Structure formats: structure tokens, C-alpha cells
Amino acid sequence: MRILLVEDDPDLSRQLKLALGDAGYAVDHAADGEEAQFLGETEPYDAVVLDLGLPKVDGVSVLERWRRGNVATPVLILTARGSWNEKVAGFDAGADDYLTKPFHTEELLARLRALLRRSSGHASPTLSCGGLRLDPRAARASVNGEPLRLTSLEYRLLHYMMMHQGRVIGRTELVEHLYDQDFDRDSNTIEVFIGRLRKKLGSDRIETVRGLGYRLTPLEGETTEG
């Protein structure tokens, strides 16, 4: 899952980038409203964490421009404590949730997980696909109760596929949601990671749809939940 963090405070940005990375997200960062607007319009993020008090262009204006341009990415806004008018303006501009500064990082991560679940149509905090389980809160996965040992990129790939299970996902889409903008992207590496996941999950859970991409499905006789 790929996140755009829009925050002009250097210390808070570093702290949040580290926390989001540790939680299994690929993170891009924008320090002002102009860069944020451009990235939000040109890159396919799964969610945005948007500070409203930004240089060059304020956060509400950025959000309004995204929504006018049909950018539907879920947005969590950050506001100063007591600025109820900013919260109202943010929601009216198209925000999906808000968090008041100062805040605990764990609350931001929890709200972000909830935002991603809602946007993908999942109600349960734990994702499942037959005997395959993934807990975003702990960044852990298991098959039939047996824990899986996954690298950070394998976890990101599995997380994204479980959020969109049953749908054919193309290589380009996986690359765009697996890596941040500074990573040297190569769609051929997706085959490598798919191969590694098949060895750990069982070869039949990830189907190759020739010419289109990959689809995660339960094994025959299993049911999909979550």
C-alpha cells in the first residue's frame, strides 16, 4: 500500500515516514501544497495524510483541486487543536477523516488502516482469503495458523493483493502501489516476488491471468472472508 504524506514540519515528517515505513507502507513525501497537488494528480496512492497548514498552497485548496479533478484517493487531514473551522472546511472539501495535532502516531496508523479498509470494502480489521490471514495492525500474516516469514516487499505485495482479492491486478498497478517514487521500479521484479509468495502461500493461491496480471483467490473448498 502506497501513502502520500503531506507535511511541512521536517521533524514530524521524519517521524511519520519512519512509522509508516515500519508499518509496511511505501511512503512519498511532499513538503508544500504545490508538490502535493502534483503528486496527488499524477501518482496512484492508496491514501493521503494531508496537513492543512502548508506553504505555497494550503491543504484545503489542494484537496478541493484534487476532488474537482476527480482524484478520489481517501484523505486523512491533520489540523491544529481547536481549529474546528479547519475540520469543517476539510470535510466540505472532500476529506474522509481528520486527526488533531498533537496526536499519537498509533492513532494515526489506526485511522489510516480504517480508511484503507473502508475504501476497499472491508469491514474486519483482519484480512482473510480462505486459510490465509493478514493482520495490518501487527504487519503479520499466516496460512492455516502457521506464521509466514515475509520480507517488507513481500508483505506489501500480499497486503495489496488481499485488499483487492478476487480481482485481476496488472503488473503496472502492482509496481505503482508497491514502491515509492524514488525506487528504481522494474515490473519484471513483480514476477520474482509473486514466485516467492507462491512458495510460501502455496502455488495455487495466486493465479496468473495471461496478458492481464495476477489474481489472489481462496483454494477450492475455502471461503473468502473479511
Side-chain angles (χ1 to χ4, degrees):
M1 310 295 285
R2 188 176 171 202
I3 306 297
L4 173 60
L5 170 64
V6 187
E7 172 57 59
D8 64 320
D9 183 286
D11 291 334
L12 182 56
S13 296
R14 283 193 293 270
Q15 175 188 341
L16 293 180
K17 284 182 68 176
L18 181 61
L20 289 166
D22 288 344
Y25 299 107
V27 185
D28 290 342
H29 173 244
D32 62 68
E34 284 185 359
E35 184 181 11
Q37 183 182 335
F38 174 76
L39 289 174
E41 291 172 346
T42 57
E43 297 289 339
Y45 295 105
D46 295 293
V48 178
V49 177
L50 175 66
D51 185 26
L52 296 186
L54 296 170
K56 297 186 179 180
V57 182
D58 66 272
V60 170
S61 297
V62 170
L63 184 52
E64 287 175 339
R65 294 172 188 178
W66 282 342
R67 296 312 190 220
R68 283 200 301 270
N70 296 319
V71 176
T73 309
V75 173
L76 168 65
I77 57 173
L78 304 178
T79 68
R81 181 174 296 281
S83 299
W84 63 267
N85 55 326
E86 282 192 347
K87 299 173 191 174
V88 172
F91 279 121
D92 285 345
D96 299 274
D97 197 2
Y98 79 93
L99 191 57
T100 302
K101 294 181 177 180
F103 55 83
H104 292 286
T105 303
E106 282 302 319
E107 182 178 359
L108 182 141
L109 293 174
R111 287 181 177 274
L112 196 55
R113 290 192 297 268
L115 200 61
L116 291 167
R117 287 200 306 271
R118 290 197 299 270
S119 68
S120 300
H122 295 277
S124 172
T126 302
L127 301 172
S128 62
C129 180
L132 177 60
R133 297 284 189 277
L134 186 144
D135 184 356
R137 294 167 296 185
R140 294 174 183 169
S142 63
V143 173
N144 298 323
E146 292 296 322
L148 291 171
R149 295 177 62 87
L150 300 174
T151 66
S152 60
L153 286 174
E154 289 169 356
Y155 174 82
R156 284 185 199 169
L157 177 57
L158 180 60
H159 189 185
Y160 190 79
M161 295 191 77
M162 290 194 71
M163 291 289 279
H164 302 279
Q165 59 187 275
R167 177 168 72 81
V168 177
I169 308 173
R171 281 190 196 173
T172 300
E173 180 179 346
L174 290 172
V175 168
E176 289 175 336
H177 290 267
L178 195 62
Y179 304 118
D180 60 52
Q181 67 185 88
D182 296 328
F183 199 90
D184 183 16
R185 302 175 185 177
D186 180 359
S187 64
N188 291 325
T189 61
I190 294 298
E191 287 188 7
V192 175
F193 288 119
I194 290 289
R196 291 181 184 175
L197 282 180
R198 281 177 168 149
K199 289 180 180 178
K200 296 177 180 182
L201 307 179
S203 59
D204 295 334
R205 290 187 184 274
I206 301 178
E207 173 190 1
T208 298
V209 181
R210 190 171 299 278
L212 296 176
Y214 304 96
R215 177 165 49 206
L216 178 70
T217 58
L219 299 180
E220 186 175 350
E222 291 183 334
T223 57
T224 301
E225 304 171 359

